[in-house]
Amino acid sequence: MTGPAPHILVVEDEAPIQAFLRATLVAHGYRCTAVGTAREALMQVTAQPPDVVLLDLGLPDGDGLGVARQIREWSTVPVIVISARGQERDKVAALDMGADDYLTKPFGVPEMLARIRVALRHAARKDATPPAVQTWGGGGPEGFRVDLPRRLVFRRRAGVEGEVRLTPTEFRLLAMFVRHNGKVLTHAEILKEVWGPVHAGEVAYLRVYVGQLRQKLEAVPSLPRWLLTEPGVGYRLVESDAE
Ligand code: CA
């Protein structure tokens, strides 16, 4: 890592959790500022712009949802919301509002660190041109690669590669997943972009098309390895192989 360590802003009102998150992040080489209220969170984001915000949705002086919305009005800093069970609706609302990812309590440290690394990589490549061809499962016998500019998809089965034919809608859906690989996309986000705003509620529709993509890309469509379901939220295509 070059330059100063990434700065993480933790917004969490439960003192033991806040202390644990801070200690864990510092132990893993991050700089960390921790606050416990929505007001302090907004002040910190302005005063010392962080590289990633970990945002608890249940705060004493207003909800994290409002914080997420206000941050998004003027900043593109990655926001990972932390929700408790029973806050599913708020979590999805936060994602639809522009939050980048979520963790559900209780979550493990490796999971949190992985999400932070993804968020940092996404922020770093936001302005860069993505590679034309991206590959999933490159080292193994099963996998696929997508060439977005040429609109081509190749699937490898038992080490043998062949072209996959996608319908125009399947391709638009896959292209959206590829552009945002590693990131969770909500049902509403996907439906709005691929089918248009009128269809934002038709989750069943989306499920059918995701099933079709899995049939064409996954080794075991019923146990997907790449195109994952985020229960109650949406879907996530895992990150492509490192270039
Ligand atoms: Ca809380």
Side-chain angles (χ1 to χ4, degrees), residues 12-14 56 58 105:
E12 167 64 70
D13 60 312
E14 285 166 68
D56 180 31
K105 290 178 186 174

Side-chain angles (χ1 to χ4, degrees), residues 123-240:
R125 66 179 192 220
K126 206 164 258 174
D127 300 321
T129 314
V133 182
Q134 297 190 62
T135 307
W136 283 261
E142 302 285 332
F144 62 96
R145 64 191 169 94
V146 180
D147 182 337
L148 282 186
R150 293 168 64 211
R151 304 178 70 86
L152 293 174
V153 181
F154 299 92
R155 160 83 198 275
R156 206 170 51 264
R157 287 169 202 262
V160 181
E161 194 174 75
E163 192 181 340
V164 179
R165 310 304 291 259
L166 298 182
T167 67
T169 304
E170 287 169 355
F171 185 85
R172 274 207 306 281
L173 179 58
L174 179 61
M176 184 182 185
F177 282 126
V178 169
R179 281 197 302 277
H180 299 283
N181 70 76
K183 184 174 181 293
V184 59
L185 298 174
T186 66
H187 296 127
E189 274 180 290
I190 304 170
L191 285 160
K192 215 165 92 187
E193 181 163 323
V194 178
W195 282 275
V198 212
H199 300 280
E202 295 177 47
V203 177
Y205 216 58
L206 176 55
R207 196 173 299 135
V208 170
Y209 277 88
V210 167
Q212 288 169 200
L213 280 182
R214 283 177 175 155
Q215 289 292 338
K216 293 183 178 183
L217 300 175
E218 294 278 352
V220 185
S222 57
L223 293 170
R225 183 176 148 197
W226 295 294
L227 186 44
L228 308 180
T229 298
E230 295 285 334
V233 175
Y235 298 95
R236 181 198 307 267
L237 175 63
V238 301
E239 283 201 287
S240 58

Side-chain angles (χ1 to χ4, degrees), residues 4-158:
H7 175 212
I8 316 292
L9 173 62
V10 170
V11 186
E12 167 64 70
D13 60 312
E14 285 166 68
I17 300 181
Q18 188 197 97
F20 173 74
L21 292 177
R22 184 212 290 265
T24 305
L25 290 167
V26 169
H28 285 84
Y30 293 103
R31 288 179 296 141
C32 179
T33 304
V35 298
T37 62
R39 200 177 64 85
E40 289 171 294
L42 289 166
M43 272 167 51
Q44 271 300 324
V45 173
T46 329
Q48 267 194 299
D51 297 298
V52 172
V53 179
L54 281 183
L55 176 63
D56 180 31
L57 286 181
L59 295 171
D61 61 333
D63 62 3
L65 215 57
V67 177
R69 182 172 44 230
Q70 287 190 59
I71 290 176
R72 264 305 157 266
E73 282 171 7
W74 54 272
S75 166
T76 59
V77 61
V79 175
I80 302 174
V81 296
I82 301 174
S83 70
R85 268 180 221 295
Q87 284 182 323
E88 272 73 14
R89 212 192 295 208
D90 287 352
K91 172 171 81 187
V92 174
L95 292 165
D96 280 337
M97 208 168 272
D100 297 81
D101 207 343
Y102 70 94
L103 289 160
T104 305
K105 290 178 186 174
F107 52 85
V109 167
E111 192 186 354
M112 174 181 78
L113 295 173
R115 296 299 165 81
I116 289 174
R117 284 194 300 269
V118 169
L120 288 168
R121 278 200 294 273
H122 274 259
R125 66 179 192 220
K126 206 164 258 174
D127 300 321
T129 314
V133 182
Q134 297 190 62
T135 307
W136 283 261
E142 302 285 332
F144 62 96
R145 64 191 169 94
V146 180
D147 182 337
L148 282 186
R150 293 168 64 211
R151 304 178 70 86
L152 293 174
V153 181
F154 299 92
R155 160 83 198 275
R156 206 170 51 264
R157 287 169 202 262

